[in-house]
Amino acid sequence: MNGRERFFAHLRGEAVDHLPCLPITMQFAADLIGVPYKEYATDYRALVRGQIAVAETFGLDYVNTMSDPACEAADCGAKITFHPDQPPAVNESESLLMDKETLVHLKQPDPSSTERMSNRLKALSFYKEQVGGQLMIEGWIEGPLAEAADLRGINRVMLDFLDDPSFVRDLFEFVLEMELRFAKAQVDSGAEQIGIGDAAASLVGPKIYKEFVWPYQKRMVDALHEMGVSVRLHICGNTSKILEGMGKLGCDIVELDSLVSMADARETMGAEQILLGNIDPVRVVRNTNPDTVREALEESHREAGHRYMVGAGCEVPRDTPKENMQAIVDYARQHSPDRWEESR
Amino acid sequence: MDLQPLYDSVLIGDAKTTRSIVEQALAEGVGPQQLLDDYMIPAMDEVGRRFEANEYFVPELLISARAMKGALEILRPLLADSGSQTIGRVIVGTVRGDLHDIGKNLVAAMLEGGGFEVVDLGVDVPPEKFIESIGETNADIIAMSALLTTTMPGMKTTIEALESAGIRNNVKVIIGGAPVTQRYADEIGADGFSDNASAAVRLCRDLVNA
């Protein structure tokens, strides 16, 4: 069974040789192949090389295109700071939509021709050539609130919910259309699954989540399913109070951060939802040792039950010891979905 | 006059009502210190309590902080004229190389709401800027934020720079941010660590009272 077969078989609820393994790596991947992060984020050849190197060195079941949250915003014309060896970042003091009126005139970027989105599309075509049929190829888009925050400024959009709800909805409509166009282009280029990153959603409470964010996430997930791909939802941070809504989106995989109880998520989302995670990326993955990583994963797995995939709560940080990364993969290799008891 | 609505308007983040009650109360002769100590700071303490209890989230906290800030703009000059002192002055900033600011902003807002005077240096703040600011403001506390494991060492560098400048004993240093732990605070010789904005206010109160 190769990684791609394993992943999709488990997704469908069929028998697998062991648990699928899908930790997120970005800076870790760039460091592994020794390229500065700016190059990893802006040149698809470096990204693909880094992802394949991580997958092959450690034994992951997938590759993806994620590098930083500023990709779509950059192509809308937002001012982005490109650090030499850190993720590109949106400069909030000069947000594109500092003035709300700007939204009315903002044009939808064309993913096939704009710089950063087209770079991601090239990565997907390259993956298809290099590892198609062997590893699951995952594309990535920003969720409604994450992207709204990138365009408007996160501090501003948090107040907009209360000051100007209709602006927030207009902004979310723009974002939804942009992200779905981007997703469609990614699917056409070879993405077999789309991940949605909506970290900012963990900053709002259940009321705002339900009223504003959830309806747009739901439309996003439904549209992705219509494109024929599976969906991973990634909301890092403490999502304890919005788990119920997250579980009702119909995502194939819900990835959870370490601040959330896996047991609560299982109880809230029902027995069939695939859960992924959720060990502490810094305090466990980066700062401890293989034994502790294994124990932490065992706990996540036990609480999640058999509908589970292996990963950290968020990105595996730069400077994570290689043996800890290997311990994540080894846990997956040594455990079948329904066996979280000691099986070494 | 009944000032309970002042407490309520800060708590729900109604900036306009907060300002107008403050103006009316001042016109009727209520002292600025009383408005602050008896209504506004207690309201922000309640905001902090609700935030810690997962009843308030980032939007609610920011909107209450904005109401507080608007009223403080009216009260500050009056408080200064009357010679009253803030309970302490805190320099806040995200360390060099790090552009994340929402956590730092929450801490700044809660500190201001808690009666502290806040000097916000923004993001990507190098050690020398923290040091310069101490000279200018005579602050009691430096509060540093970092959201990345790669920028976190900037906290250590800043503490070392304070030592080299011979002013480490003049200020307390507290740190916070997603990858930061109490253990790291101990390792680099910080005076305190907090993993949330509300607890950071308690920490600063303890440090200035110590």
Side-chain angles (χ1 to χ4, degrees):
Chain A
M1 213 168 211
N2 69 28
R4 183 180 179 279
E5 290 162 347
R6 178 176 306 112
F7 172 79
F8 283 111
H10 191 47
L11 210 58
R12 290 189 296 263
E14 297 165 11
V16 286
D17 50 355
H18 59 72
L19 283 168
C21 188
L22 290 90
I24 294 171
T25 62
M26 295 186 276
Q27 294 193 73
F28 182 85
D31 291 349
L32 186 69
I33 57 165
V35 304
Y37 199 72
K38 184 183 172 185
E39 189 181 330
Y40 183 88
T42 55
D43 184 341
Y44 71 96
R45 287 162 297 200
L47 178 102
V48 168
R49 194 152 62 84
Q51 282 291 296
I52 294 178
V54 172
E56 287 178 350
T57 307
F58 299 96
L60 272 56
D61 294 317
Y62 88 122
V63 285
N64 77 22
T65 55
M66 196 189 335
S67 63
D68 60 273
C71 172
E72 293 94 309
D75 286 354
C76 286
K79 202 156 195 177
I80 309 297
T81 310
F82 286 92
H83 302 276
D85 196 23
Q86 265 195 59
V90 179
N91 193 340
E92 171 142 5
S93 62
E94 298 171 80
S95 293
L96 188 65
L97 300 181
M98 186 110 86
D99 176 358
K100 287 190 274 188
E101 294 299 312
T102 314
L103 178 62
V104 183
H105 311 288
L106 196 61
K107 292 218 163 41
Q108 287 288 345
D110 171 9
S112 65
S113 62
T114 53
E115 193 177 338
R116 300 211 62 205
M117 287 197 254
S118 72
N119 180 63
R120 296 255 181 106
L121 301 181
K122 285 176 197 152
L124 289 161
S125 309
F126 201 22
Y127 279 141
K128 213 169 146 185
E129 257 174 64
Q130 304 266 314
V131 294
Q134 300 162 46
L135 297 172
M136 188 273 283
I137 300 171
E138 184 180 50
W140 202 264
I141 57 175
E142 295 293 304
L145 183 48
E147 186 56 31
D150 289 337
L151 294 172
R152 168 75 172 145
I154 191 160
N155 294 281
R156 282 181 210 102
V157 80
M158 290 291 146
L159 293 172
D160 290 336
F161 282 120
L162 304 159
D163 288 342
D164 194 350
S166 64
F167 169 74
V168 175
R169 292 198 175 91
D170 289 346
L171 177 53
F172 280 8
E173 288 291 344
F174 178 90
V175 167
L176 183 67
E177 186 183 339
M178 172 171 73
E179 298 298 347
L180 289 176
R181 280 178 185 218
F182 187 26
K184 181 71 175 63
Q186 293 187 51
V187 174
D188 292 343
S189 299
E192 301 173 292
Q193 166 164 289
I194 296 288
I196 301 173
D198 211 358
S202 67
L203 302 181
V204 302
K207 190 168 170 287
I208 287 178
Y209 179 71
K210 202 171 157 190
E211 192 180 335
F212 291 92
V213 186
W214 191 88
Y216 288 88
Q217 286 184 342
K218 178 69 178 156
R219 283 166 64 188
M220 197 174 247
V221 172
D222 288 349
L224 292 171
H225 280 149
E226 273 172 36
M227 293 176 202
V229 290
S230 54
V231 179
R232 157 174 16 192
L233 179 70
H234 174 90
I235 304 180
C236 46
N238 188 350
T239 50
S240 305
K241 295 281 169 180
I242 58 169
L243 285 176
E244 194 189 341
M246 288 164 69
K248 287 183 178 158
L249 289 168
C251 297
D252 301 85
I253 301 166
V254 174
E255 178 165 23
L256 297 168
D257 204 346
S258 57
L259 302 163
V260 188
S261 151
M262 191 58 104
D264 286 354
R266 174 55 72 215
E267 200 185 319
T268 311
M269 298 187 194
E272 286 311 306
Q273 177 69 62
I274 290 189
L275 299 171
L276 192 156
N278 66 340
I279 64 176
D280 192 316
V282 175
R283 289 168 187 82
V284 175
V285 178
R286 178 178 177 271
N287 293 355
T288 65
N289 51 57
D291 281 341
T292 310
V293 169
R294 196 179 305 123
E295 283 160 20
L297 280 170
E298 195 174 298
E299 193 187 330
S300 292
H301 186 190
R302 191 187 324 115
E303 290 183 4
H306 73 290
R307 299 300 279 158
Y308 176 67
M309 290 188 185
V310 175
C314 195
E315 178 191 3
V316 171
R318 160 177 275 176
D319 301 330
T320 291
K322 285 182 181 165
E323 55 271 27
N324 291 6
M325 180 67 191
Q326 194 58 57
I328 294 176
V329 181
D330 288 348
Y331 183 87
R333 285 186 172 166
Q334 291 161 6
H335 292 81
S336 63
D338 56 3
R339 187 168 175 151
W340 43 86
E341 302 305 329
E342 196 53 52
S343 60
R344 285 193 293 282
Chain B
M1 93 183 257
D2 175 19
L3 288 168
Q4 182 61 30
L6 176 59
Y7 175 93
D8 294 339
S9 65
V10 172
L11 188 59
I12 62 164
D14 182 344
K16 217 168 140 189
T17 305
T18 304
R19 278 183 85 106
S20 75
I21 297 173
V22 165
E23 276 161 358
Q24 199 191 336
L26 291 169
E28 289 185 23
V30 186
Q33 196 73 54
Q34 191 195 341
L35 294 175
L36 194 61
D37 292 348
D38 295 353
Y39 300 95
M40 291 163 59
I41 292 175
M44 284 304 286
D45 282 344
E46 174 62 11
V47 169
R49 188 200 65 75
R50 291 185 183 188
F51 186 69
E52 277 188 278
N54 275 333
E55 294 164 25
Y56 266 21
F57 298 85
V58 173
E60 293 83 4
L61 194 157
L62 287 177
I63 206 160
S64 285
R66 185 175 62 180
M68 180 81 184
K69 207 179 179 84
L72 277 173
E73 279 166 18
I74 305 172
L75 295 179
R76 276 260 161 71
L78 303 174
L79 290 165
D81 288 349
S82 66
S84 73
Q85 306 237 322
T86 57
I87 58 170
R89 198 169 288 150
V90 187
I91 297 170
V92 300
T94 305
V95 297
R96 182 160 60 196
D98 200 322
L99 297 176
H100 293 86
D101 75 346
I102 192 149
K104 182 266 295 169
N105 292 349
L106 297 179
V107 171
M110 289 309 295
L111 283 171
E112 199 156 43
F116 285 89
E117 194 181 323
V118 173
V119 181
D120 188 345
L121 300 181
V123 297
D124 191 15
V125 182
E128 48 279 21
K129 204 163 153 194
F130 280 112
I131 289 173
E132 201 182 295
S133 182
I134 294 168
E136 287 162 4
T137 63
N138 204 19
D140 306 284
I141 298 170
I142 292 180
M144 289 186 278
S145 169
L147 261 287
L148 304 171
T149 54
T150 46
T151 55
M152 210 166 77
M155 296 173 158
K156 183 167 185 260
T157 320
T158 304
I159 290 177
E160 285 163 0
L162 292 170
E163 280 162 3
S164 318
I167 53 172
R168 176 66 186 91
N169 294 330
N170 302 358
V171 284
K172 301 290 183 189
V173 177
I174 65 168
I175 61 174
V180 180
T181 57
Q182 179 65 52
R183 192 169 147 200
Y184 184 70
D186 295 342
E187 265 171 38
I188 65 170
D191 301 296
F193 155 80
S194 169
D195 63 4
N196 73 77
S198 192
V201 178
R202 288 197 296 274
L203 178 61
C204 286
R205 282 176 181 160
D206 289 347
L207 287 171
V208 291
N209 290 330

